[in-house]
Amino acid sequence: PQSRVLQVTSIGFDISALELAMAFGNGLPLCLASEEARRTPAFLVSLLQREQVTTAVLTPALLAVLPAAPLAALAVLGVGGEALPAALAARWSDGRAVINVYGPTEVTVYISVELCDPAELATGRAPAIGRPIPGGEALLLDLAAGEPGLVPAGIVGELAIGGVGLAQSYLGRAGRTAEKFVPHPFSRLPGARLYRTGDRVRQRPDFR
């Protein structure tokens, strides 16, 4: 009941839907950031303090420029939109849960999550992008081969994602749709597809 969600993303960006859903889907207050707060890190920190925001989703670039300040109420921090450096994650994980989220717009905001481990961050190891959310699917494929195959652990491959949140197509761009949305090579569901992210990733040997 005491949770308060920050809405800082422009309404034209997909993460704004996540911010709205976190608040309204749980009956929580939504703290709206002004345009001034969006553009001025010091004003955003003041908003976080004044409104006692407990939950926020921010980009690494924004986190990197926020001035140091006590934010005791901020308990859960989702970070996404670009790679999250270990040092930045370690700084912000002091006293709160930092969740690394990954996913392009084509799959409903994000597809995977990873709760950052402060002990691992202290070693300088960058956070993983984690496991798929319920209803999502993430496969590491060798899509350059004639018959797409799964890539073994430790080997770099292209990340392909699917699941119930996958978009249907690019509006009015049939060629681009055919290039990026490909048939699912391992699904028995008629018409099942995967989205080729173009991102090169690997499964860590200690991934469980």
Side-chain angles (χ1 to χ4, degrees), residues 75-79 84 89 93 96-101 112-121 126-131 204:
V76 180
L77 179 61
V79 187
L84 175 59
S93 64
R96 65 183 57 88
V98 172
I99 303 172
N100 193 27
V101 301
S112 66
V113 297
E114 173 81 357
L115 177 62
C116 295
D117 181 353
E120 184 173 288
L121 294 173
I129 62 173
R131 295 179 178 276
R204 291 179 174 177

Side-chain angles (χ1 to χ4, degrees), residues 106 163-171 177 181 191 193:
E106 287 84 352
V164 296
L166 192 64
Q168 294 297 310
S169 65
Y170 294 114
L171 183 62
T177 296
F181 292 87
R193 300 173 305 150

Side-chain angles (χ1 to χ4, degrees), residues 5-58:
V5 178
L6 176 67
Q7 202 282 313
V8 70
T9 310
S10 167
I11 200 67
F13 192 46
D14 60 354
I15 291 181
S16 65
L18 172 62
E19 295 168 330
L20 294 170
M22 283 194 300
F24 299 151
N26 293 286
L28 302 175
L30 184 67
C31 305
L32 303 176
S34 66
E35 191 64 27
E36 188 174 35
R38 289 193 184 106
R39 297 184 178 185
T40 310
F43 279 82
L44 181 56
V45 167
S46 296
L47 173 67
L48 291 169
Q49 292 176 320
R50 183 177 68 252
E51 297 297 331
Q52 293 291 286
V53 170
T54 64
T55 308
V57 181
L58 303 173

